[in-house]
């Protein structure tokens, strides 16, 4: 009976306390304040490829007056810079260069369409002119080639010499009709070749083999974002030692270059063509945005 009376006294005392406490104070204690920190921020806006605020159009969509390349390969056609090659008139490996400067840190956007499975192209950047290196065949290689292959090889060598003034070395955003390499980072004419395959984050250092820092997905998974025979949106971000390749809104490869023997901090922008058979590579809506 005493314990019941004590419990009743406690409850009555608590009720009396709450009765004299101001209502706002009780509400403040019962309801925590909302968190207004960084976790409440909205998601970033989706990519708008047609938003050109802060960008400079480096192809006017009307002619090739801002570009320099061999006229037997490159032409203006339906609002695009077009490179063509065939077995009868092969292009070899050659480029058309933007005359506007040698950008260092930048974002570069454009649309590319490849026609023909043998089409192999790319975008050269932070690149520079270099003498051609003539390829020679060993007796074993010559013996294994058909007469047609020998004729094609000789014609390609002839084209290399003819187009020597447009020969480049440097970073390349690779893209091909067979979609084996699209999005990878290839380095033209330096000896390093393919450095960051599609789906890789790679770093180079002086005197060491390239290091795989991480992966972005398998080459098969990322390859599904390429659109055969259609216009593909590509973007290159070159910022300091790091360059990033994006295809149709998806990151394909990232390369961190800290090897001073090869690192290029600025250079020309160019469009490349090569490949066998009848092919055509078109480029349009080319925009450049400088970065600090």
């Amino acid at each position: 009976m005493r314990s019941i009376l004590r419990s009743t006294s406690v409850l009555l005392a608590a009720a009396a306390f709450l009765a004299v406490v101001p209502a706002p104070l009780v509400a403040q204690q019962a309801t925590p304040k909302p968190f207004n920190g960084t976790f409440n921020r909205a998601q970033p806006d989706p990519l708008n490829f047609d938003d050109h605020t802060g960008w400079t159009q480096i192809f006017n969509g009307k002619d090739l007056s801002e570009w320099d390349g061999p006229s037997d390969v490159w032409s203006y056609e339906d609002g695009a810079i077009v490179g063509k090659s065939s077995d009868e008139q092969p292009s070899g490996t050659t480029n058309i260069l933007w005359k506007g400067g040698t950008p260092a840190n930048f974002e570069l956007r454009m649309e590319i369409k490849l026609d023909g499975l043998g089409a192999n192209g790319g975008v050269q950047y932070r690149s520079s002119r270099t003498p051609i290196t003539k390829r020679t065949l060993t007796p074993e290689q010559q013996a294994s080639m058909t007469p047609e292959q020998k004729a094609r090889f000789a014609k390609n060598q002839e084209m290399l010499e003819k187009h020597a003034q447009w020969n480049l070395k440097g970073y390349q955003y690779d893209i091909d009709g067979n979609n084996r390499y699209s999005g990878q980072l290839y380095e033209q004419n330096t000896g390093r070749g393919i450095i960051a395959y599609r789906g890789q984050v790679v770093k180079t250092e002086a005197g060491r083999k390239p290091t795989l820092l991480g992966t972005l997905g398998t080459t098969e998974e990322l390859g599904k974002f390429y659109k055969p025979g259609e216009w593909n949106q590509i973007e290159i971000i070159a910022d300091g030692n790091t360059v990033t390749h994006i295809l149709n809104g998806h990151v394909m490869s990232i390369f961190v270059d800290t090897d001073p023997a090869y690192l290029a901090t600025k250079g020309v922008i160019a469009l490349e063509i090569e490949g066998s058979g009848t092919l055509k590579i078109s480029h349009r809506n080319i925009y450049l945005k400088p970065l600090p």
Side-chain angles (χ1 to χ4, degrees):
M1 185 66 176
R2 290 177 180 172
S3 61
I4 294 175
L5 290 174
R6 280 197 296 268
S7 299
T8 302
S9 300
V10 171
L11 291 173
L12 290 172
F17 171 77
L18 291 174
V20 298
V21 174
L25 179 58
V26 175
Q28 289 173 10
Q29 292 175 339
T31 305
K33 293 181 179 180
F35 178 70
N36 292 318
T38 58
F39 294 110
N40 267 354
R41 290 181 181 171
Q43 289 292 317
D45 290 334
L47 174 68
N48 182 359
F49 206 79
D50 296 322
D51 181 3
H52 302 135
T53 304
W55 298 76
T56 299
Q57 188 172 15
I58 64 174
F59 165 52
N60 61 22
K62 300 182 293 185
D63 56 45
L64 301 184
S65 58
E66 301 166 297
W67 296 77
D68 173 37
S71 59
D72 58 332
V73 175
W74 298 99
S75 62
Y76 167 81
E77 186 176 305
D78 298 327
I81 298 175
V82 175
K84 294 181 180 179
S85 182
S86 65
D87 287 335
E88 297 73 27
Q89 189 175 351
S91 64
T93 300
T94 191
N95 305 276
I96 184 169
L97 286 65
W98 178 53
K99 299 177 184 178
T102 54
N105 297 325
F106 59 85
E107 295 179 66
L108 178 67
R109 283 181 185 172
M110 70 182 70
E111 292 179 289
I112 298 181
K113 181 170 68 171
L114 291 85
D115 295 298
L117 290 178
N120 193 339
V123 180
Q124 292 287 144
Y125 60 99
R126 288 187 177 177
S127 297
S128 58
R129 297 179 191 261
T130 188
I132 63 168
T133 301
K134 292 192 66 175
R135 181 185 170 193
T136 58
L137 298 174
T138 66
E140 293 78 13
Q141 288 174 321
Q142 294 186 41
S144 65
M145 295 172 70
T146 65
E148 293 77 12
Q149 288 173 325
K150 290 180 181 178
R152 188 180 301 117
F153 176 82
K155 189 68 175 177
N156 283 334
Q157 292 297 107
E158 178 186 331
M159 289 298 101
L160 277 175
E161 294 183 7
K162 182 180 179 180
H163 301 150
Q165 72 184 86
W166 298 284
N167 198 49
L168 296 176
K169 66 176 180 179
Y171 303 141
Q172 181 187 121
Y173 183 119
D174 206 351
I175 189 167
D176 65 303
N178 276 313
N179 195 26
R180 182 179 178 185
Y181 304 115
S182 298
Q184 72 176 13
L185 188 142
Y186 173 77
E187 196 168 69
Q188 184 83 359
N189 289 320
T190 67
R192 291 202 293 186
I194 301 173
I195 305 175
Y197 285 84
R198 183 167 63 200
Q200 292 184 340
V201 182
V202 175
K203 179 181 179 181
T204 56
E205 299 175 86
R208 295 188 60 184
K209 183 179 178 181
T211 301
L212 180 65
L213 298 181
T215 58
L216 304 163
T218 68
T219 186
E220 293 79 15
E221 291 168 343
L222 295 175
K224 294 176 182 178
F225 297 113
Y226 171 75
K227 302 175 182 178
E230 299 181 36
W231 288 104
N232 289 270
Q233 298 173 341
I234 76 163
E235 182 162 349
I236 297 167
I237 303 174
D239 191 5
N241 295 75
T242 303
V243 296
T244 303
H245 290 179
I246 301 172
L247 175 67
N248 294 322
H250 300 273
V251 178
M252 296 286 114
S253 60
I254 298 174
F255 177 44
V256 183
D257 196 356
T258 61
D259 187 344
Y262 295 92
L263 172 65
T265 57
K266 66 178 183 176
V268 302
I269 291 172
L271 312 175
E272 189 236 26
I273 185 174
E274 61 177 292
S276 59
T278 300
L279 58 97
K280 174 182 173 181
I281 307 179
S282 306
H283 315 74
R284 71 182 186 186
N285 295 326
I286 307 175
Y287 287 85
L288 181 71
K289 178 192 282 187
L291 295 176

